[in-house]
Amino acid sequence: MDPFCGCATTCVAAEKSERKWIGVDVYTKSHDLVKQRLAKEVEGKENGQAGVLFWEDKIKYRTSPPKRTDQGVDYREKKHVYVISHPKYPGEYKVGIAKDLKATLSG
């Protein structure tokens, strides 16, 4: 897992070692760069285009996080939104999100 895979070095090394790999980057061009480097350095295709097409179906480009599968199909973490006011301080509120509402309010 390379959370900053911009230039694809870790991805290429893992692929050459026949290891599973995941590369993540905020730079959208990283997706194209990973395909180009894999085509050139793993497949040995210097012109890149034929090799890039090979990797097109194998490398997924996502802008949303993957769904969790370790908690069951219908798992959703329960969170509560709360708004608290104090009678001595009108107009002042505390707003937040909590997993355990009772513990948050008693604190």
Side-chain angles (χ1 to χ4, degrees), residues 11 16 44 51 58 64 68-70 88 92-94 98:
C11 304
K16 284 182 174 181
K58 296 174 179 19
S64 62
R68 288 186 67 161
T69 58
D70 61 337
K88 289 185 179 179
E92 292 186 21
Y93 303 96
K94 179 179 180 182

Side-chain angles (χ1 to χ4, degrees), residues 56-91:
E56 189 70 36
D57 295 334
K58 296 174 179 19
I59 297 177
K60 307 297 181 216
Y61 179 72
R62 298 183 62 157
T63 57
S64 62
K67 291 183 180 180
R68 288 186 67 161
T69 58
D70 61 337
Q71 299 291 329
V73 177
D74 295 326
Y75 172 77
R76 297 226 189 253
E77 187 175 12
K78 292 185 179 179
K79 294 183 181 177
H80 306 276
V81 176
Y82 62 89
V83 179
I84 303 172
S85 65
H86 193 286
K88 289 185 179 179
Y89 307 102

Side-chain angles (χ1 to χ4, degrees), residues 2-60:
D2 184 357
F4 308 100
C5 75
C7 62
T9 301
T10 304
C11 304
V12 169
E15 188 65 32
K16 284 182 174 181
S17 302
E18 297 181 7
R19 297 177 142 237
K20 293 180 180 180
W21 54 269
I22 297 173
V24 180
D25 205 291
V26 297
Y27 185 54
T28 56
K29 289 289 187 182
S30 295
H31 177 245
D32 293 329
L33 183 59
V34 168
K35 289 189 297 185
Q36 290 170 3
R37 287 212 45 207
L38 287 169
K40 181 178 177 183
E41 297 180 36
V42 175
E43 297 298 315
K45 308 248 192 258
E46 196 61 43
N47 68 358
Q49 189 57 28
V52 170
L53 292 176
F54 172 79
W55 290 102
E56 189 70 36
D57 295 334
K58 296 174 179 19
I59 297 177
K60 307 297 181 216

